[in-house]
Amino acid sequence: MGWFADDAGSRYDESTGPYFEPATIEATVDFLESFAAGGALELAIGTGRIAVPLAARGIRVAGIDYSAPMVAQLRRKSSDIAVEVGDYSTTKVDGEFSLVYLVFNGINNLTTQEAQIAAFANAAAHLAPGGCFVIEVGVRPDRAWTVFDLSDTHIGIDEYDAETQRLVSHHLSPVGDDLWKLASGEFRAVSPPELDLMARLAGLELRERWADWNRTPFTAESTKHVSVWQKP
Ligand SMILES: C[S@@+](CC[C@H](N)C(=O)[O-])C[C@H]1O[C@@H](n2cnc3c(N)ncnc32)[C@H](O)[C@@H]1O
């Protein structure tokens, strides 16, 4: 949890990059809204980057997150969103939803296969019949080291072990003259077929898979996917 503790909430909302672009957020919310007539539950809701604009469209939104500082930041922006503080793979919230969603590589935060399986079971337990679980996540890296960002203000490098699926993201940020700070976070990468199997174990069926929120077809060249599994 160290990654999202302390002043994480306020620092997170000052982030820049593709996930924080208004057009990205709008496309994400447009997609999710189409599944959310019966209410939406966000796993790892964070500061409400997506939940707050989704709720602003009149959708009932609830969330789970284990970082109190991230949730505190969300509460400063909205009092309409019910949030439980806890691990999203096991924590329950009241009610049923037509949509449960987990965006921005959130499934990778669970670093064991068991925990990822539990997350699918927990999502399914909150879905009404016909409801959908939507995940946005990158495909597994195809090499041991990937530089995913290189600028004057941030260097991002992923370290990946294909045997264990352990993924460590290293972030270097300047903190002063010629000084850079390194922060690293540990994740578990997971492929689309493995996710499909986790969904099956939870009683869900694959309904759609796209390369992005604009419904670009998913291909072997896609670097991420937006997948939708449905509860019969
Ligand atoms: C990158 S932020 C994303 C927040 C939000 N979903 C968004 O898209 O902006 C990741 C969030 O996942 C939360 N998180 C990570 N692992 C978690 C877990 N096992 N249970 C609950 N929350 C978790 C962190 O506290 C953090 O708020």
Side-chain angles (χ1 to χ4, degrees), residues 4 12 42 44 46 49 65-67 70 86-88 103 109-110:
F4 294 109
Y12 185 83
E42 179 166 355
R49 179 182 67 95
D65 200 288
Y66 68 6
S67 166
M70 295 286 277
D87 186 329
Y88 76 73
V103 297
N109 282 304
L110 300 175

Side-chain angles (χ1 to χ4, degrees), residues 97-216:
F97 304 85
S98 61
L99 170 68
V100 177
Y101 66 97
L102 175 57
V103 297
F104 202 167
N105 304 317
I107 190 69
N108 298 140
N109 282 304
L110 300 175
T111 54
T112 65
Q113 188 185 57
E114 289 72 19
Q116 292 180 345
I117 289 170
F120 272 81
N122 201 30
H126 287 91
L127 283 175
C132 289
F133 182 34
V134 175
I135 276 189
E136 173 194 31
V137 65
V139 299
R140 292 194 307 179
D142 60 359
R143 63 198 73 186
W145 296 94
T146 307
V147 178
F148 61 86
D149 194 19
L150 186 60
S151 74
D152 292 346
T153 53
H154 180 244
I155 298 172
I157 301 169
D158 276 344
E159 175 187 357
Y160 179 57
D161 179 346
E163 196 178 327
T164 60
Q165 295 177 214
R166 180 174 180 265
L167 174 67
V168 184
S169 285
H170 303 285
H171 297 266
L172 280 155
S173 320
V175 286
D177 289 345
D178 297 329
L179 270 184
W180 288 65
K181 185 177 153 201
L182 174 67
S184 302
E186 186 173 334
F187 303 94
R188 180 179 189 270
V190 58
S191 66
E194 188 181 3
L195 290 168
D196 289 343
L197 193 53
M198 292 180 188
R200 274 177 186 251
L201 291 172
L204 306 177
E205 295 164 0
L206 181 65
R207 174 177 143 153
E208 300 170 26
R209 172 160 291 135
W210 306 104
D212 56 35
W213 296 110
N214 297 315
R215 293 186 166 82
T216 302

